[in-house]
Amino acid sequence: MECIFCKIARAEIKTELLYEDDDVIAFRDLHPQAPLHVLCIPRQHISTLNDLSPQQTALAGKLLLTAQRVAKNLAVEESGYRLVMNCNGHGGQTVFHIHLHLLAGRQMSWPPG
Ligand code: 5GP
Ligand code: ZN
């Protein structure tokens, strides 16, 4: 499969991992939108949030806890951070393998653009 994040998960594209276990990995975004910009993804290919099933509830929770862990490891948990998951066109999704963006290191604005 030509999915770029599957290739990263299988280490076919060499990428420094900030966290990894059997289910999820976390790595820096190639085009950071904040001083800290990390992507947390499941190893399993799931195209969009729409494709997540109730059987994957634990995996979805694990993505959140992975972001929390990375935020703590990189010491931004007190200053704060934002988690974003884009879905399809209006959501601005460009890579169709679900990923949770962890953004930190600057003031975030609301509402998002
Ligand atoms: P989306 O727009 O789908 O929510 O986010 C996709 C993100 O993946 C973008 O922020 C983009 O910069 C990042 N990205 C795309 N290709 C690569 C890659 O090969 N390596 C890394 N580390 N990030 C990537
Ligand atoms: Zn994939």
Side-chain angles (χ1 to χ4, degrees):
M1 195 197 306
E2 285 306 298
C3 172
I4 195 101
F5 286 180
C6 281
K7 287 183 176 175
I8 291 173
R10 291 194 300 256
E12 290 170 18
I13 296 174
K14 196 169 152 42
T15 304
E16 183 200 353
L17 300 183
L18 301 180
Y19 177 76
E20 66 173 315
D21 65 25
D22 287 347
D23 303 314
V24 303
I25 61 173
F27 53 91
R28 291 183 194 275
D29 196 291
L30 198 57
H31 303 291
Q33 302 301 317
L36 179 66
H37 187 171
V38 173
L39 302 173
C40 304
I41 75 167
R43 287 188 184 274
Q44 181 185 353
H45 182 85
I46 301 166
S47 296
T48 79
L49 190 54
N50 294 335
D51 302 300
L52 197 69
S53 72
Q55 286 71 36
Q56 294 165 318
T57 298
L59 183 60
K62 209 162 171 185
L63 277 182
L64 277 177
L65 289 173
T66 298
Q68 180 215 62
R69 180 194 292 259
V70 171
K72 287 181 175 174
N73 285 347
L74 297 179
V76 297
E77 80 273 32
E78 292 302 331
S79 54
Y81 54 94
R82 177 170 291 179
L83 303 182
V84 175
M85 187 177 285
N86 299 323
C87 183
N88 281 335
H90 282 183
Q93 185 174 6
T94 59
V95 175
F96 288 83
H97 177 136
I98 60 168
H99 47 281
L100 191 58
H101 295 260
L102 164 60
L103 297 146
R106 65 167 170 82
Q107 182 61 54
M108 302 296 153
S109 59
W110 190 263

